[in-house]
Amino acid sequence: MALLTIAKLGNPLLRQVAQAVDPNEIGTQAFQQFIDDMFETMQGAEGIGLAAPQVSRSQQLVVMACPGDNGFPQTVLVNPRIVYYGPHQVENWEGCLSVDGLRGKVARPSMVRVHGLDRHGSPLDFEATDLFAVCIQHELDHLNGKLFLDRMTDLATLTQLDEFDRFWKKEHATVI
Ligand code: ZN
């Protein structure tokens, strides 16, 4: 296992559209090791999601995990796409491991249906709601070169972390 370096805001890789993963690559030891390294990196940085472009690999791969009552299970998505967005919006404070020290409010659909492959290359088709749905949308944005900052409709909520802790901490923040 290895901790990977997280690309930060301004790194051009974060603005590229990621390449699809060749399904033949999924079963290789190198790819499986990379998935494990991504989980270790995400957990080491106390995030709940990480996309491959954030560790300077332009491939359509994300890992996510959020323990706890309102969380979701450990999830790997390869070549994912959202095939349906629910009609209701939910607004959350979001942060990002590639955007140090900032939080901002983002409204997103509260439910999505996802197609893709799991870490063994098996097809996935599932619906996610609430925090899981938000995390999926945030991570899939990374695969399309988008950051949560691009999704903010009102930059007035953009907040530095120390001021967030001072004024807004009672509201839950999602650091993805
Ligand atoms: Zn992010």
Side-chain angles (χ1 to χ4, degrees):
M1 301 271 271
L3 283 178
L4 306 168
T5 301
I6 297 176
K8 302 291 182 175
L9 182 67
N11 186 318
L13 260 170
L14 293 174
R15 293 310 194 168
Q16 289 178 16
V17 176
Q19 302 289 310
V21 175
D22 178 347
N24 293 320
E25 189 185 349
I26 297 172
T28 64
Q29 209 223 326
F31 195 81
Q32 293 296 315
Q33 181 66 56
F34 181 61
I35 290 172
D36 290 339
D37 289 347
M38 282 184 66
F39 271 118
E40 190 183 8
T41 303
M42 178 190 83
Q43 282 152 0
E46 298 186 345
I48 62 170
L50 187 69
Q54 290 182 275
V55 287
S56 300
R57 183 146 149 173
S58 189
Q59 279 191 307
Q60 292 180 30
L61 165 66
V62 305
V63 304
M64 294 173 280
C66 184
D69 286 347
N70 298 315
F72 46 83
Q74 188 164 297
T75 303
V76 176
L77 299 177
V78 177
N79 298 341
R81 62 197 165 93
I82 294 170
V83 297
Y84 176 76
Y85 291 91
H88 304 295
Q89 300 272 313
V90 61
E91 192 174 58
N92 278 287
W93 286 100
E94 290 188 28
C96 179
L97 297 179
S98 294
V99 182
D100 285 340
L102 290 177
R103 300 281 182 272
K105 273 191 174 178
V106 182
R108 299 183 188 269
S110 63
M111 188 277 263
V112 291
R113 184 173 172 191
V114 180
H115 287 179
L117 302 174
D118 69 12
R119 73 176 294 166
H120 305 295
S122 302
L124 290 171
D125 179 352
F126 66 96
E127 290 179 1
T129 58
D130 303 320
L131 180 61
F132 195 19
V134 168
C135 186
I136 288 169
Q137 291 172 78
H138 179 118
E139 295 312 325
L140 267 60
D141 273 355
H142 278 302
L143 303 182
N144 288 303
K146 292 246 181 286
L147 300 170
F148 80 89
L149 300 165
D150 307 323
R151 298 293 186 194
M152 291 182 67
T153 52
D154 181 4
L155 285 172
T157 67
L158 194 61
T159 302
Q160 287 196 189
L161 193 53
D162 50 352
E163 302 291 9
F164 178 82
D165 288 343
R166 199 169 152 212
F167 292 107
W168 304 105
K169 200 167 189 171
K170 276 177 278 180
E171 300 187 37
H172 182 71
T174 305
V175 183
I176 307 173

